């Protein structure tokens, strides 16, 4: 007896992991994350900074996201660097995605033409899985953004992945290792502004996706990339294990005592100006800070719930607003 075409399509879909869309922000190690995913045998396709497929072309960017998230194809390369668009109308074939992850990351600040009310709900509807890759240490995130300006000035890049960038970093070690001067009040304002960004992003993605968002933590990834990536693969339904690898280079030290010109003075001033952020300044162990610090001395706790049963020994926690 022949199965109906609809039943066969449903069976095939059930065997394939859900595509993912990863929302992120600059200076969160997203290049490092994407590099690890692209090198992982469990990944069929992952496009880093997908807003670059068709820069400044709203309609083709919207179409590209639709194809990569909702009807990806194995018949041709998706989002090639040459900005070709024939792949947007290629036949949808998915055999190469069996038991493998497929998806892309995007900085929503670079796609203001996509509406949270109109466009993203269409792109993120089932079976797409929504992921927010966030950095919870807002102080370190702010310092990293300042330090990135030094890298751009020295090497004309904000990431160290290509051999050219690595050679530049090596030849500018003295410049890049110089400590930077910051004042506690400006640092506090920058950190809390970042907290507002994450709060808004979690709220928008939760609403647009229908209520459930997987949160991948930068700090947890730094502590043990195998475990944190394992949680992601478990969540989307991809089996197997691998040892994460990346050629991305980190330029900001994990201990801010090695980065800030007058750490002790900044610490003293921050204790007076914004003591709630002091633990983030002092942290050297990649702690996940589960309370967002927002402007006007407001806070927002991350509600932790299990949205799927963990298949590993570790408990899997996700932040949902």
């Amino acid at each position: 007896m022949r199965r109906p075409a609809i039943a066969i399509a449903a069976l095939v879909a059930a065997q394939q992991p859900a595509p993912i869309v990863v929302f992120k922000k600059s200076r969160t190690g997203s290049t490092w994350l994407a590099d690890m995913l692209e090198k992982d045998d469990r990944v069929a396709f992952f496009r880093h900074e997908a807003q670059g497929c068709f820069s400044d072309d709203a309609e083709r960017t919207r179409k590209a996201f639709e194809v990569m998230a909702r009807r990806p194809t194995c018949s041709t390369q998706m989002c090639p660097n040459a900005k070709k668009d024939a792949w947007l109308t290629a036949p949808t074939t998915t055999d190469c995605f069996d038991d493998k992850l497929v998806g892309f990351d995007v900085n929503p600040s670079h796609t203001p033409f996509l509406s949270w009310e109109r466009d993203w709900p269409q792109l993120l509807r089932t079976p797409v899985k929504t992921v927010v890759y966030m950095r919870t240490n807002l102080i370190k995130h702010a310092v990293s953004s300042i330090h990135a300006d030094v890298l751009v000035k020295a090497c004309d890049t904000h990431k160290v992945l290509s051999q050219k960038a690595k050679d530049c970093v090596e030849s500018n070690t003295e410049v890049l290792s110089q400590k930077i001067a910051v004042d506690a009040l400006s640092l506090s304002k920058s950190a809390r502004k970042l907290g507002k960004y994450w709060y808004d992003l979690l709220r928008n993605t939760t609403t647009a996706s229908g209520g459930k968002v997987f949160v991948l933590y930068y700090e947890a990834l730094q502590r043990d990339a195998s475990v944190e990536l394992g949680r992601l693969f478990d969540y989307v339904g991809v089996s197997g294990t691998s040892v994460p690898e990346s050629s991305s280079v980190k330029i900001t030290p994990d201990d801010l005592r090695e980065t800030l010109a007058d750490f002790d003075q900044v610490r003293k001033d921050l204790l007076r100006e914004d003591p709630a952020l002091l633990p983030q300044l002092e942290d050297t162990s990649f702690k996940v800070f589960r309370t967002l610090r927002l402007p006007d001395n407001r806070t927002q706790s991350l509600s932790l719930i299990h949205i799927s049963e963990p298949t590993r020994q570790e408990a899997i926690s996700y932040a949902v607003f």
Side-chain angles (χ1 to χ4, degrees):
M1 179 178 178
R2 295 181 61 187
R3 293 185 179 182
I6 294 178
I8 294 175
L11 179 62
V12 172
Q15 294 173 342
Q16 294 169 346
I20 65 170
V21 177
V22 180
F23 292 90
K24 54 93 172 188
K25 187 171 177 56
S26 58
R27 308 313 305 167
T28 57
S30 60
T31 300
W32 169 56
L33 169 63
D35 194 42
M36 286 191 290
L37 289 176
E38 289 166 3
K39 288 179 167 63
D40 198 301
D41 290 338
R42 295 169 291 178
V43 177
F45 171 82
F46 189 82
R47 177 56 157 88
H48 180 42
E49 296 188 341
Q51 69 271 4
C53 291
F54 300 105
S55 300
D56 303 320
D57 188 326
E59 192 53 43
R60 287 202 294 177
T61 295
R62 187 180 290 107
K63 181 82 170 182
F65 287 4
E66 172 75 21
V67 171
M68 288 187 288
R70 307 213 56 80
R71 46 187 184 86
T73 180
C74 295
S75 63
T76 186
Q77 181 185 359
M78 292 186 290
C79 199
N81 293 329
K83 297 187 182 299
K84 298 176 181 178
D85 60 3
W87 64 278
L88 296 177
T89 55
T92 301
T93 56
T94 59
D95 53 294
C96 67
F97 301 141
D98 289 349
D99 199 29
K100 289 183 181 291
L101 182 147
V102 57
F104 62 90
D105 70 35
V106 58
N107 184 337
S109 300
H110 296 162
T111 56
F113 46 81
L114 291 180
S115 165
W116 284 111
E117 292 75 25
R118 182 186 65 255
D119 299 305
W120 284 116
Q122 291 298 314
L123 289 168
L124 301 178
R125 68 186 189 275
T126 304
V128 173
K129 299 281 191 180
T130 303
V131 178
V132 173
Y133 174 53
M134 70 180 298
R135 190 169 186 173
T136 66
N137 190 318
L138 307 175
I139 288 288
K140 285 191 175 183
H141 192 172
V143 170
S144 180
S145 297
I146 298 171
H147 202 196
D149 293 338
V150 179
L151 176 62
V152 170
K153 187 175 181 179
C155 298
D156 195 30
T157 183
H158 64 278
K159 59 185 69 176
V160 186
L161 186 61
S162 68
Q163 190 57 51
K164 179 181 177 181
K166 292 175 184 177
D167 292 342
C168 181
V169 167
E170 187 174 349
S171 62
N172 286 276
T173 302
E174 185 176 348
V175 173
L176 294 173
S177 62
Q178 288 180 358
K179 294 185 177 182
I180 57 178
V182 298
D183 67 271
L185 183 57
S186 297
L187 193 57
S188 167
K189 289 181 178 179
S190 296
R192 287 183 177 272
K193 185 178 180 180
L194 286 167
K196 177 67 162 51
Y197 172 89
W198 291 120
Y199 170 77
D200 289 341
L201 183 60
L202 286 167
R203 182 187 59 189
N204 287 331
T205 52
T206 297
T207 301
S209 64
K212 289 187 176 181
V213 174
F214 177 92
V215 178
L216 191 69
Y217 294 105
Y218 166 86
E219 291 83 7
L221 202 63
Q222 287 281 353
R223 283 202 309 267
D224 194 325
S226 294
V227 170
E228 192 69 358
L229 286 181
R231 293 173 180 177
L232 173 64
F233 284 112
D234 285 346
Y235 174 62
V236 299
V238 175
S239 59
T241 60
S242 68
V243 178
E245 58 177 294
S246 172
S247 55
S248 180
V249 176
K250 191 173 187 291
I251 66 164
T252 304
D254 301 321
D255 189 339
L256 292 183
R257 293 169 182 81
E258 301 177 30
T259 305
L260 302 184
D262 195 345
F263 179 88
D264 291 336
Q265 186 61 50
V266 173
R267 183 188 183 282
K268 180 180 177 180
D269 293 343
L270 193 63
L271 181 61
R272 180 185 68 252
E273 299 285 352
D274 199 341
L277 287 171
L278 192 61
Q280 298 187 22
L281 179 78
E282 297 176 327
D283 180 66
T284 59
S285 61
F286 298 113
K287 177 182 177 181
V288 174
F289 290 89
R290 302 189 184 279
T291 299
L292 290 175
R293 305 294 172 178
L294 308 175
D296 302 320
N297 206 34
R298 293 179 295 117
T299 62
Q300 174 63 59
S301 296
L302 300 178
S303 302
L304 299 179
I305 67 170
H306 289 92
I307 58 176
S308 65
E309 289 298 319
T311 58
R312 294 167 182 258
Q313 187 173 8
E314 303 88 15
I316 306 176
S317 295
Y318 308 95
V320 176
F321 276 63

